[in-house]
Amino acid sequence: MSNPNLKPSLRMPVIAALKSDTHAADSTYPTGAVDMGAHINIMAVLAVGAITGSGTVEFEQATTDVFSDAKAIEGRTAVDLVAEKPVQLNLKANELDVNNGFRYVRAKLTTVGGSVKTGILVLSADAKDQPFAPLTGTIVD
């Protein structure tokens, strides 16, 4: 669980990201891989701007960080994005198919029929070892 003696930036560090941009139509944009062996809970946060088509966001799982065997997480569906609305997408480590070796996840933005202006931050809500180091390049004050 979170240690209240740590700064919030150390209790919920950014662990993966997708650059904020206008993402082109009919494409998929993933964040980097997150090893859920180090986290109990994570959360993807999006600040959605203009949408000219439609877009969704979801978590997908894989057995390695290259995602050659990526698959959906059972019981979950992609979340439809709404222009100018934020999104928070939660995931617990026990939702993964760990019996078949799936331990890596990433958030995936999919655009259809038009562009979507957004970025994604994936935060660790409960790292197993705290403090957990944030993603390289994260500015923490």
Side-chain angles (χ1 to χ4, degrees):
M1 296 304 285
S2 293
N3 179 345
N5 296 315
L6 297 174
K7 293 179 181 179
S9 58
L10 293 174
R11 292 189 346 239
M12 292 189 66
V14 175
I15 55 174
L18 173 66
K19 181 178 99 168
S20 183
D21 201 355
T22 299
H23 299 284
D26 304 315
S27 298
T28 300
Y29 301 91
T31 65
V34 174
D35 182 353
M36 289 299 288
H39 308 280
I40 298 168
N41 297 297
I42 64 172
M43 177 176 58
V45 179
L46 291 76
V48 180
I51 299 175
T52 61
S54 66
T56 61
V57 64
E58 65 187 322
F59 282 114
E60 63 181 357
Q61 62 184 333
T63 59
T64 70
D65 62 359
V66 295
F67 283 81
S68 57
D69 61 349
K71 71 176 188 174
I73 297 172
E74 188 175 330
R76 289 183 153 261
T77 58
V79 174
D80 293 325
L81 302 181
V82 176
E84 310 301 331
K85 299 291 182 187
V87 175
Q88 291 180 294
L89 189 61
N90 297 292
L91 181 69
K92 294 181 177 203
N94 65 7
E95 294 180 70
L96 302 182
D97 183 7
V98 293
N99 291 334
N100 289 308
F102 286 81
R103 69 180 284 167
Y104 293 91
V105 298
R106 64 184 178 187
K108 180 178 71 171
L109 168 70
T110 302
T111 60
V112 179
S115 63
V116 175
K117 184 171 186 166
T118 192
I120 302 174
L121 294 178
V122 180
L123 307 173
S124 173
D126 297 298
K128 291 182 180 175
D129 294 314
Q130 290 187 4
F132 193 86
L135 180 68
T136 301
T138 300
I139 298 170
V140 177
D141 182 17

